[in-house]
Amino acid sequence: MSHRFRTGDDNTDEHLHNPVSFLYINEADNSNKTGDSMTDSSTVAAAPANQPQFLGHPVGLYVCFLTEMWERFSFYGMKYLLLLYLTKYHLFSDAGGLDVLGSYAGLVYAMPVIGGMLADRYLGMRKAVTFGAILLCMGHLGLAYEGFQAYVENGVVVQDTGAIQVFYFSLALIIMGVGFLKPNISTIVGQLYGKEDARRDSGFTIFYMGINLGSFIATLSVTYLGETYGWGYGFGLAGIGMVLGLIVFLTGQKYLFGYAEPANPALLKEKVFAGINKEWLIYLATIPALVVMWQLVQYNPVVHSTLLGMSFIVLVGIIWFITTQCNKEERDRMIVLIILTMSTVVFWALFEQSASSMTLYADRVLDRTVFGYEATAGQFGSLNAFFIITLAPLFAWLWIALAKRKLEPSTPVKFALGIIQAGLGFGALVYGATHPNEAGYVAAWWLILAYALHTMGELCLSPVGLSAVTKLAVPKVVGVMMGSWFLATAYSELLATQLAKLAAIDTHAGEVTNVSEALAAYTELFSFLFYVGVGVGVFMLLISPWLKKRMHGVH
């Protein structure tokens, strides 16, 4: 959940939370590719005719596929261990652990905006991806250092403050690494194909499957290793995955045909001061930026206030622009875009409970036995990627079939359906809580159903999200509106953890002592989220005719 996740002349998002969404963006809406208005000249050049091929696609595609797969392997493996590690090993309170997760998630989804700009203007994709990957390797491997396990002495939690600071600094490295790597690897894929190459959409579908494959494998293996054999082993495995991704990217450079190189290499060599050129100035500037991130990730209120303040300033600026610079048609479309953007904050705030309240729920009050196998709490995070992989083709077919019959829902209706399904996912957990087993635990199938509903909601909303930005925004402010979209996504990450704190539980050394009380707390939270999701979704459904009218023909 974002940043500018660019795909050549196509812009899509990784949760944005799962960019496999490109599969159905393109199949359902080939007339208006996501991000066409953001195309730069470098993305439309003809691809070399003599590229080595494998299974009908350039070999370079598979270099990017494996790089991204291993990067997402490390990212998602760590993501679903983070909160469990803090609350069960370093004995953070639920609220304290959620604050760290919120700060980290908000920053990691905001930094790629800067990384994309630096790559566009100066570094080029290869240098940006390589530098980002190095930072990620250092960060993930740094997480493997555990220090001593926290313990309670005379009612006071004794923690290894040194190890915790190493942990915070490792998160800062990951935040900066994602900022450099994530927005640029997709762009390289777009440049392997000519603009009119019929294989282009298929290539992106393969690439984005790598993201979900990496997520699926990581949340099964990394979380199992971390929860079963030791947190450091899990984080270490995630780090090894990132090292493999970096090796693949560096050894596969000959298959990228220079497309990832900087647009103006001479600019990077220009001396700025003290004999330092612009390229090294960017790298060195990362050091103070790392220090800032190191501190910010520890102070959730500062991150929260900063993102909220930035959001308010951007909103005021957009309202001024709409009021003074737009004609009626442009004004109507921009108003629709603002409403859609604000609605996504609700969706992602619900959806991103997966790594926070839903993971703690799985750890504390869920009977995790499925078909005789007892899963770890973190392994349930793999369900989103699993359902994306299995359901995305079905949704791609569904939208096409409905479009042929002129029945395909409008963008506002798809948003409404997505938010409603996010709410219904929590409804499943609320209902499941009324049927616990003899020990008071809820059957795992209810959480599986919740993930299925959340993923179906994602498949309704996420694919059309950034496409709507590029279609509805006034051309001269497309970049601003794209940044606003990503800012909203980053804020939703913080909001998700603040909502999860409503079910914060006082634990004994990271373990709940009363399952029924814990279940009641989570059920109260999930009931609230159910009503919010369904309520906001129904509201969006009711106003969708009004929104569609003000889109003035944009689908």
Side-chain angles (χ1 to χ4, degrees):
M1 128 282 150
S2 284
H3 17 266
R4 203 149 55 107
F5 289 149
R6 301 156 302 143
T7 58
D9 65 332
D10 300 276
N11 278 276
T12 183
D13 63 327
E14 191 255 320
H15 84 86
L16 318 153
H17 292 261
N18 272 292
V20 69
S21 56
F22 196 94
L23 173 66
Y24 28 90
I25 290 178
N26 287 280
E27 292 189 6
D29 186 23
N30 277 311
S31 64
N32 226 322
K33 297 279 196 295
T34 318
D36 280 345
S37 58
M38 296 187 71
T39 303
D40 61 39
S41 60
S42 68
T43 65
V44 297
N50 61 343
Q51 292 187 66
Q53 306 289 305
F54 180 70
L55 298 178
H57 287 275
V59 172
L61 169 66
Y62 302 100
V63 173
C64 295
F65 171 95
L66 290 172
T67 302
E68 184 71 347
M69 185 192 78
W70 285 118
E71 188 273 330
R72 291 292 90 182
F73 176 92
S74 64
F75 179 85
Y76 281 106
M78 181 276 292
K79 180 179 179 181
Y80 283 93
L81 272 186
L82 193 150
L83 187 56
L84 295 171
Y85 170 63
L86 288 177
T87 55
K88 301 183 77 168
Y89 188 80
H90 287 298
L91 301 189
F92 276 52
S93 67
D94 282 7
L98 286 165
D99 277 343
V100 174
L101 176 62
S103 297
Y104 163 74
L107 291 169
V108 86
Y109 279 101
M111 282 301 104
V113 177
I114 298 174
M117 291 171 56
L118 289 173
D120 280 345
R121 297 186 181 186
Y122 302 107
L123 290 176
M125 281 77 69
R126 178 181 63 82
K127 291 178 182 291
V129 170
T130 301
F131 185 56
I134 291 171
L135 293 175
L136 282 164
C137 289
M138 294 168 60
H140 283 292
L141 294 176
L143 292 178
Y145 174 66
E146 297 178 353
F148 68 77
Q149 183 169 358
Y151 58 92
V152 179
E153 185 176 306
N154 298 325
V156 178
V157 175
V158 180
Q159 298 172 318
D160 187 336
T161 54
I164 292 174
Q165 287 302 316
V166 171
F167 171 81
Y168 286 140
F169 188 72
S170 298
L171 289 185
L173 286 165
I174 293 171
I175 290 166
M176 296 299 295
V178 170
F180 278 98
L181 186 147
K182 190 61 193 163
N184 298 304
I185 190 72
S186 302
T187 308
I188 299 174
V189 177
Q191 295 176 333
L192 295 172
Y193 298 90
K195 187 170 177 62
E196 304 303 324
D197 194 325
R199 303 171 301 165
R200 187 182 183 85
D201 294 349
S202 174
F204 274 108
T205 300
I206 294 171
F207 173 72
Y208 287 126
M209 279 299 175
I211 291 170
N212 288 278
L213 183 62
S215 171
F216 180 69
I217 296 173
T219 42
L220 287 178
S221 59
V222 172
T223 56
Y224 175 79
L225 193 63
E227 291 183 69
T228 306
Y229 293 101
W231 306 102
Y233 292 109
F235 289 127
L237 179 59
I240 291 170
M242 191 60 250
V243 171
L244 291 175
L246 176 58
I247 291 172
V248 168
F249 185 73
L250 292 178
T251 57
Q253 284 302 301
K254 64 181 179 180
Y255 298 112
L256 302 183
F257 293 92
Y259 276 147
E261 297 305 311
N264 187 357
L267 183 63
L268 287 176
K269 301 304 177 186
E270 290 180 1
K271 298 293 190 293
V272 182
F273 66 91
I276 301 174
N277 61 33
K278 287 185 177 179
E279 179 178 353
W280 274 98
L281 181 63
I282 292 172
Y283 298 148
L284 292 174
T286 303
I287 297 174
L290 278 171
V291 174
V292 172
M293 292 300 134
W294 181 17
Q295 299 307 308
L296 281 178
V297 79
Q298 303 179 53
Y299 300 104
N300 181 275
V302 176
V303 179
H304 191 274
S305 299
T306 300
L307 288 181
L308 188 60
M310 290 173 61
S311 301
F312 178 76
I313 292 170
V314 170
L315 181 60
V316 170
I318 293 171
I319 291 174
W320 172 86
F321 177 81
I322 292 173
T323 305
T324 63
Q325 307 293 313
C326 296
N327 59 38
K328 184 181 185 307
E329 185 174 296
E330 291 173 334
R331 187 178 302 116
D332 284 351
R333 287 176 175 170
M334 290 286 284
I335 290 172
V336 172
L337 181 54
I338 290 173
I339 293 172
L340 293 179
T341 301
M342 294 177 71
S343 74
T344 64
V345 174
V346 177
F347 175 81
W348 293 121
L350 270 60
F351 182 90
E352 285 301 319
Q353 295 299 314
S354 59
S356 54
S357 64
M358 291 170 71
T359 294
L360 293 180
Y361 180 87
D363 182 59
R364 295 169 176 177
V365 300
L366 196 72
D367 178 1
R368 299 192 299 274
T369 303
V370 180
F371 295 129
Y373 169 75
E374 184 176 2
T376 66
Q379 286 183 309
F380 283 88
S382 67
L383 291 169
N384 175 239
F386 171 79
F387 285 123
I388 283 284
I389 293 169
T390 54
L391 295 179
L394 175 61
F395 272 74
W397 169 85
L398 176 64
W399 299 140
I400 293 171
L402 290 174
K404 288 179 179 177
R405 295 165 175 78
K406 301 188 183 302
L407 295 174
E408 184 182 6
S410 65
T411 294
V413 171
K414 287 181 179 178
F415 271 59
L417 293 175
I419 298 169
I420 288 172
Q421 288 177 95
L424 291 176
F426 292 108
L429 294 175
V430 172
Y431 181 78
T434 64
H435 296 80
N437 62 19
E438 293 181 357
Y441 293 97
V442 177
W445 294 107
W446 296 110
L447 185 59
I448 293 171
L449 176 59
Y451 269 104
L453 287 165
H454 284 185
T455 303
M456 287 190 288
E458 181 186 8
L459 292 172
C460 288
L461 182 145
S462 182
V464 298
L466 292 185
S467 181
V469 176
T470 60
K471 293 184 216 175
L472 293 172
V474 176
K476 67 168 110 177
V477 294
V478 168
V480 173
M481 296 310 295
M482 195 69 72
S484 302
W485 181 274
F486 297 144
L487 188 60
T489 304
Y491 182 72
S492 70
E493 295 287 336
L494 276 169
L495 182 59
T497 54
Q498 293 304 305
L499 289 171
K501 286 167 70 172
L502 295 176
I505 298 169
D506 290 329
T507 62
H508 177 70
E511 304 292 339
V512 296
T513 55
N514 189 314
V515 175
S516 62
E517 288 183 4
L519 179 58
Y522 289 116
T523 301
E524 183 177 358
L525 168 65
F526 295 157
S527 296
F528 172 71
L529 298 180
F530 164 73
Y531 287 118
V532 168
V534 173
V536 173
V538 170
F539 173 75
M540 289 293 294
L541 200 59
L542 291 174
I543 67 171
S544 61
W546 183 86
L547 293 173
K548 183 178 179 181
K549 180 180 179 181
R550 278 152 185 78
M551 291 169 71
H552 295 286
V554 172
H555 178 67

